[in-house]
Amino acid sequence: MTLRIDISGLRSGHLRFAASPLAELTAMLHVLAEPGHHPQHAGWAGEVWAGLPPELAERLREAEFLWRSSQADFLLPARPRPTLAEELDDVDRIDDGTYVTAALVTTCGGSRVHFAAPSPLTDPTARERALDLAQARGARQEAFAERLLADPAAVRERVRHTLELCAEAFFDAAWTGVAVRLATDLRLKNDLLKRQGIGAALASVSGSVTLAPDGDCIIVDKLQDKATAARGTGVTFIPSVFNRPHLVAVHAPGWQPVVQYPVSGPGPSEPVPLETVTLRLEALAHPVRLRLLRTLARGPHTTGELAHAWELSPPEVSRHLAVLRRAGLLTGRRDGRYVRYTLNVPDLTALGSDLLTAVLR
């Protein structure tokens, strides 16, 4: 499952790396709405919530659909500006129809195709469908969608003012330190792009972003199969400190492709591809392999030792070990005529603490 960005015929300079204050503020707002996704920022989120004026806290809950489960496309600028105010000015220049469509996607949880045409601002059937989708997601979503469709100008002004209040309350202070890390990452990315080309630059973004062998397509590992094109517009890559571990992509028709990626930091160096996670879960689905892992958790073992411990034949054990090795959950080291297998604890840990506890118990 991938997002494919067609870059065939893309001119030099149309693939850009740039920092965006608005995109980083959006990442912070997502952390505040979903702190469980970002344990490394849980302390920060708690402090911010504790210090927010009650009115601003209510405003954030009122509009959280713009950044909670997914981010509205207008919050990830294709052409980042130096300041938040400049980027908000650019958002103000977006026509009501485009703004409302992007906002309804995140509010209603529906596909972008649902609101492509006709517009719910002018078509009663499309409007009713949008409100039905919002209602199914809860009273707050329904109320937000009703206000947005009834008076988009007022909602747009209120959302902008809310973001400006966030800047005063916590963003400006956080941005000072974040900007330094982003600038360091951008120097690396732009140097790789200049000296080694797009493939090297993409490889440094994430293991989930690659250049197709023919060089005409950027492939992003996402949960849905989608496609978009960058002809004539380019692709923008925006680094973020607060969005880790998410990889966010703008790909809707009419929008320039944008990818927001996490900069390197403490913790796991790279999220593994979805295919690898699937391979590991499938490997763990067999009860015999779970037994072998529990034995290996106590220390390195040979095939013969594992076969004896579980009263299995060596060939059967070998087959199971091969599956676990392909999934990256084991390493083998030859010692004379024997190969001793060791549990790969870090990768097992990454799959979840409950699994690790069950294996080590």
Side-chain angles (χ1 to χ4, degrees):
M1 292 179 283
T2 59
L3 165 64
R4 302 178 68 86
I5 304 174
D6 185 351
I7 59 170
S8 56
L10 196 67
R11 296 202 306 269
S12 175
H14 277 204
L15 188 144
R16 64 185 65 86
F17 288 86
S20 164
L22 178 56
E24 193 65 13
L25 172 55
T26 302
M28 293 181 188
L29 291 172
H30 172 72
V31 170
L32 292 175
E34 290 283 7
H37 290 187
H38 308 271
Q40 71 275 28
H41 296 306
W44 174 86
E47 291 177 3
V48 170
W49 276 119
L52 285 181
E55 180 189 354
L56 178 53
E58 179 55 31
R59 280 173 171 260
L60 294 185
R61 297 185 184 97
E62 168 190 294
E64 69 176 8
F65 325 109
L66 297 177
W67 50 72
R68 181 167 196 153
S69 297
S70 60
Q71 288 73 42
D73 290 340
F74 54 77
L75 296 175
L76 298 171
R79 297 187 178 277
R81 308 286 189 180
T83 68
L84 178 63
E86 290 173 285
E87 292 186 326
L88 291 176
D89 288 343
D90 286 343
V91 173
D92 287 345
R93 297 185 184 98
I94 298 172
D95 65 87
D96 280 349
T98 302
Y99 185 101
V100 167
T101 297
L104 285 176
V105 168
T106 57
T107 303
C108 302
S111 167
R112 287 165 171 79
V113 178
H114 293 162
F115 305 114
S119 169
L121 285 176
T122 57
D123 183 81
T125 301
R127 174 190 174 87
E128 183 178 357
R129 189 172 191 285
L131 291 175
D132 285 345
L133 288 170
Q135 183 182 47
R137 295 178 64 84
R140 280 183 177 271
Q141 285 94 328
E142 182 183 15
F144 183 84
E146 286 178 344
R147 291 194 301 272
L148 182 66
L149 291 170
D151 192 350
V155 171
R156 294 179 66 163
E157 182 180 356
R158 183 170 176 84
V159 169
R160 172 167 183 154
H161 189 213
T162 297
L163 297 177
E164 291 171 336
L165 291 174
C166 289
E168 298 173 10
F170 60 87
F171 174 73
D172 288 347
W175 176 250
T176 301
V178 165
V180 175
R181 289 186 61 185
L182 299 182
T184 300
D185 181 82
L186 289 172
R187 282 195 295 272
L188 170 64
K189 299 297 188 291
N190 285 307
D191 184 65
L192 284 171
L193 184 63
K194 178 181 178 181
R195 296 178 182 275
Q196 299 183 37
I198 182 174
L202 294 179
S204 71
V205 167
S206 168
S208 299
V209 181
T210 56
L211 183 66
D214 60 8
D216 285 344
C217 184
I218 297 172
I219 302 172
V220 184
D221 181 19
K222 296 295 288 181
L223 287 178
Q224 293 179 314
D225 287 318
K226 298 289 183 179
T228 187
R231 302 185 196 93
T233 59
V235 185
T236 300
F237 287 86
I238 300 175
S240 173
V241 170
F242 276 81
N243 82 331
R244 186 178 182 88
H246 300 311
L247 193 65
V248 181
V250 172
H251 54 78
W255 295 87
Q256 178 178 321
V258 177
V259 177
Q260 185 187 41
Y261 64 92
V263 300
S264 299
S269 58
E270 280 294 343
V272 298
L274 181 61
E275 289 81 0
T276 301
V277 175
T278 302
L279 191 65
R280 289 174 178 170
L281 292 176
E282 289 174 348
L284 293 167
H286 199 291
V288 171
R289 291 195 279 271
L290 278 176
R291 292 174 195 161
L292 297 177
L293 285 181
R294 294 188 70 177
T295 303
L296 290 168
R298 301 187 181 119
H301 286 70
T302 66
T303 300
E305 289 171 331
L306 291 168
H308 177 74
W310 290 104
E311 297 182 352
L312 300 168
S313 69
E316 184 179 2
V317 172
S318 294
R319 287 194 296 271
H320 287 301
L321 292 178
V323 173
L324 293 167
R325 290 191 70 181
R326 283 195 298 272
L329 297 174
L330 298 182
T331 55
R333 182 178 180 182
R334 180 165 291 280
D335 184 8
R337 38 188 300 228
Y338 298 103
V339 176
R340 299 191 182 280
Y341 295 95
T342 304
L343 178 64
N344 188 341
V345 175
D347 285 348
L348 189 67
T349 302
L351 288 173
S353 58
D354 288 345
L355 172 63
L356 181 67
T357 300
V359 170
L360 296 180
R361 188 163 47 230

